Amino acid sequence: MFFEQLVKVGGHLGHAPRSWHPKMAPYILESRDGVHILDLVQSYAYLNQVKQFVSRAKKQNRTFLFVGTKPQAAHSVASAAKSCKSYYINQRWLGGLLTNWSTLKRSIGLLNRMELIQRERVVETLPKKLKSSFSREQARLRKYLGGIESMKSEPDVVIIVGQKEEAIALNECKKLGIRTITLLDSNCNPDSADLFIPVNDDSIKAVRSVLTNLASEINQV
């Protein structure tokens, strides 16, 4: 069961009480051994609510963007997004990615052209110095934009891991009215999320488990 799986991977472990956000109190079961223990019964209930929303959104042909740039989340974010043919940002959120979309779209277009040039082996004909410069710029763009290189417009739903780390992404979504789904640890603010799942967002396995569940729901429609 998903509930038992989360316990095994530490999905119930929050932060030390001194680091908590008071508005997370309803989702905390107790304090044990110097850390808050999240109420996974509620986590499971909220996950199911989120999955219902995701299912409805997918049926309406909504697009999803997975976001999580901290090391504990980066791999799982990319893996989950790829598994359900969605988009992802897992290295660094570039300020204005959504609120200044027209500008960023030009950078994505440049990456697409560079990928085409490489596929057609045109880059092999360039002088050594220019070829090196091309490769560095292509690698840089691919690192930050590779997960959204086929994204044609702003996403409809953004799934966020790491509320504090992704504050800029969250604020941009708010400005544009884009719905967000956030994995909330005990140091997060539930008032800043549209939809959320209380869970340890520092556990690699817990993050992977939740994102895999959401990706599976997207794939089922």
Side-chain angles (χ1 to χ4, degrees), residues 108-165:
I108 294 174
L110 174 59
L111 173 60
N112 287 328
R113 290 193 295 275
M114 295 181 88
E115 299 282 23
L116 178 61
I117 288 171
Q118 184 183 49
R119 286 196 299 273
E120 294 183 346
R121 305 188 69 83
V122 176
V123 68
E124 300 300 328
T125 67
L126 298 175
K128 185 176 180 181
K129 189 174 181 180
L130 189 56
K131 180 180 177 182
S132 177
S133 177
F134 179 97
S135 297
R136 284 197 304 272
E137 180 62 10
Q138 182 186 26
R140 185 185 72 84
L141 290 173
R142 187 184 288 161
K143 178 179 180 180
Y144 296 119
L145 303 177
I148 58 171
E149 63 179 318
S150 62
M151 194 165 78
K152 305 301 182 185
S153 61
E154 296 94 335
D156 299 301
V157 181
V158 177
I159 300 170
I160 296 174
V161 181
Q163 187 188 70
K164 290 181 175 292
E165 292 82 0

Side-chain angles (χ1 to χ4, degrees), residues 24-132:
M24 282 297 290
Y27 315 104
I28 293 174
L29 190 63
E30 62 179 330
S31 179
R32 185 192 308 162
D33 297 329
V35 297
H36 274 137
I37 304 300
L38 295 165
D39 183 356
L40 290 187
V41 172
Q42 291 198 69
S43 300
Y44 184 63
Y46 276 89
L47 172 66
N48 285 331
Q49 289 178 18
V50 168
K51 287 170 69 173
Q52 290 173 19
F53 167 79
V54 164
S55 179
R56 291 193 301 270
K58 181 61 177 179
K59 288 176 181 176
Q60 296 168 350
N61 294 318
R62 305 303 188 201
T63 56
F64 299 85
L65 172 65
F66 288 71
V67 178
T69 61
K70 60 183 181 177
Q72 302 95 314
H75 178 75
S76 296
V77 161
S79 179
K82 290 176 182 177
S83 73
C84 60
K85 296 179 175 59
S86 294
Y87 310 113
Y88 68 91
I89 294 290
N90 73 337
Q91 291 300 316
R92 180 165 70 91
W93 182 272
L94 302 176
L97 191 149
L98 296 179
T99 53
N100 197 15
W101 173 250
S102 59
T103 297
L104 192 78
K105 192 160 60 173
R106 290 197 289 271
S107 295
I108 294 174
L110 174 59
L111 173 60
N112 287 328
R113 290 193 295 275
M114 295 181 88
E115 299 282 23
L116 178 61
I117 288 171
Q118 184 183 49
R119 286 196 299 273
E120 294 183 346
R121 305 188 69 83
V122 176
V123 68
E124 300 300 328
T125 67
L126 298 175
K128 185 176 180 181
K129 189 174 181 180
L130 189 56
K131 180 180 177 182
S132 177

Side-chain angles (χ1 to χ4, degrees), residues 198-218:
V199 69
N200 178 356
D201 67 7
D202 291 314
S203 164
I204 295 175
K205 291 182 179 179
V207 168
R208 182 190 306 149
S209 181
V210 173
L211 294 185
T212 298
N213 262 265
L214 297 182
S216 296
E217 193 65 32
I218 294 171

Side-chain angles (χ1 to χ4, degrees), residues 15-26 28 36 186-188:
H15 289 264
R18 66 177 179 277
S19 302
W20 80 315
H21 195 294
K23 290 189 177 180
M24 282 297 290
I28 293 174
H36 274 137
S186 63
N187 63 340
C188 297

